[in-house]
């Protein structure tokens, strides 16, 4: 399916209106998964022409994503990754966990960005970061698209390594922790692993394992993320 390649138009606009020189594109992966971390990548690309075929990671085949991520890691000016663990997601809620992972990524860059292009419509970063949110930024903005691909491949690799260990039944290598039929069947039979998010609603539908569910301290935080627990994004 053809798609428009990403551009530097948002970055140019930010430079012109704010004087920012170092601009990081930020994207996350794993928000809707039942297991594994949420991973955020911050990428700085400058205004150079990107590698051919760059777009939102979800529009690429696994093979092409892997190839492109390897190319991007040498092409970007700088990038860094940040994770929030399942335990942190359970304790903080997804919105705060996303911010934690994003700050870890941004602070991992060799130079602090003057501005951030954040994929989506919700600014989960906030002050003191200067943020421009862009809906479908992972398709339209070069730096965000680069962050999308690098984050997706890195997190998929981590989840695949879990499957290669003692959690083969959950097929994490194929579903990346999202609720596929195989993943659901393994949960029903064996229960959640140490890598599962135990505050999420899926446990309510599993009487055998419901007693393991953790209660979130903030009902408001749980309400904010309730729409993100059912998506298939692998």
């Amino acid at each position: 399916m053809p798609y428009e390649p990403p551009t530097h138009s948002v970055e140019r606009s930010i430079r012109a209106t704010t004087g920012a020189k170092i601009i990081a594109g930020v994207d996350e992966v794993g928000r809707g998964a039942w297991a594994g971390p949420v991973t955020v990548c911050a990428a700085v690309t400058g205004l150079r022409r990107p590698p051919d075929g760059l777009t939102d990671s979800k529009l690429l085949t696994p093979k092409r994503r892997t190839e492109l991520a390897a190319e991007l890691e040498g092409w970007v000016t700088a990038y860094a990754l940040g994770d929030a663990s399942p335990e942190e997601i359970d304790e903080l809620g997804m919105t705060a966990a996303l911010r934690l992972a994003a700050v870890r990524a941004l602070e991992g860059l060799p130079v602090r960005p003057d501005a951030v292009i954040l994929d989506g419509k919700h600014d989960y970063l906030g002050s003191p970061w200067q943020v421009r949110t862009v809906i479908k930024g992972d398709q339209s903005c070069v730096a965000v698209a680069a962050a999308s691909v690098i984050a997706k491949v890195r997190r998929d690799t981590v989840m695949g390594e879990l499957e290669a260990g003692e959690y083969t039944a959950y097929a994490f290598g194929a579903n990346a922790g999202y609720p596929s039929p195989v993943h659901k069947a393994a949960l029903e039979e064996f229960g959640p692993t140490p890598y599962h998010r135990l505050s999420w609603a899926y446990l309510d539908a599993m009487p055998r394992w419901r007693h393991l569910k953790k209660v979130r301290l903030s009902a408001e935080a749980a309400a904010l993320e309730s729409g993100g627990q059912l998506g298939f994004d692998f």
Side-chain angles (χ1 to χ4, degrees):
M1 181 176 179
Y3 50 81
E4 291 293 323
T7 70
H8 295 294
S9 61
V10 175
E11 189 168 357
R12 292 182 190 278
S13 172
I14 293 172
R15 287 172 178 250
T17 57
T18 70
K21 294 182 179 179
I22 300 173
I23 301 173
V26 170
D27 198 16
E28 55 76 23
V29 64
R31 186 194 303 236
W34 288 1
V38 61
T39 299
V40 173
C41 180
V44 178
T45 65
L47 299 177
R48 293 171 299 146
R49 178 177 175 176
D52 291 339
L54 178 62
T55 188
D56 171 13
S57 63
K58 295 187 291 297
L59 299 179
L60 301 169
T61 65
K63 181 176 184 293
R64 181 57 185 142
R65 271 199 306 265
T66 300
E67 294 170 347
L68 190 55
E71 186 175 357
L72 285 167
E73 289 176 10
W75 174 83
V76 298
T77 303
Y79 78 93
L81 292 127
D83 292 323
S85 68
E87 293 84 3
E88 289 170 329
I89 294 168
D90 287 334
E91 179 181 352
L92 301 172
M94 182 54 74
T95 300
L98 276 172
R99 186 177 195 281
L100 180 63
V103 169
R104 286 170 173 166
L106 288 165
E107 291 184 344
L109 291 170
V111 180
R112 183 182 177 93
D114 302 312
V116 174
I117 305 172
L118 188 62
D119 182 52
K121 63 180 180 179
H122 174 55
D123 177 9
Y124 55 77
L125 260 174
S127 179
W129 304 94
Q130 181 175 295
V131 176
R132 173 83 63 88
T133 57
V134 178
I135 296 173
K136 293 188 177 180
D138 48 10
Q139 294 182 38
S140 62
C141 302
V142 170
V144 180
S148 167
V149 173
I150 293 172
K152 174 67 173 166
V153 171
R154 285 298 186 92
R155 186 180 182 278
D156 283 358
T157 299
V158 168
M159 298 307 294
E161 289 171 352
L162 292 181
E163 179 181 350
E166 58 183 296
Y167 302 112
T168 305
Y170 298 83
F172 288 146
N175 60 52
Y178 285 83
S180 71
V182 172
H183 184 180
K184 289 180 178 179
L187 269 170
E188 291 278 6
E189 183 172 356
F190 304 112
T193 71
Y195 301 99
H196 278 87
R197 303 169 188 182
L198 299 181
S199 60
W200 283 37
Y202 68 86
L203 281 173
D204 292 336
M206 299 181 179
R208 186 179 175 187
W209 309 107
R210 192 181 298 156
H211 65 285
L212 298 175
K213 186 176 180 183
K214 294 183 178 179
V215 177
R216 181 91 33 77
L217 292 178
S218 169
E220 181 181 0
L224 282 173
E225 73 194 55
S226 60
Q229 296 189 21
L230 301 177
F232 289 75
D233 191 22
F234 55 90

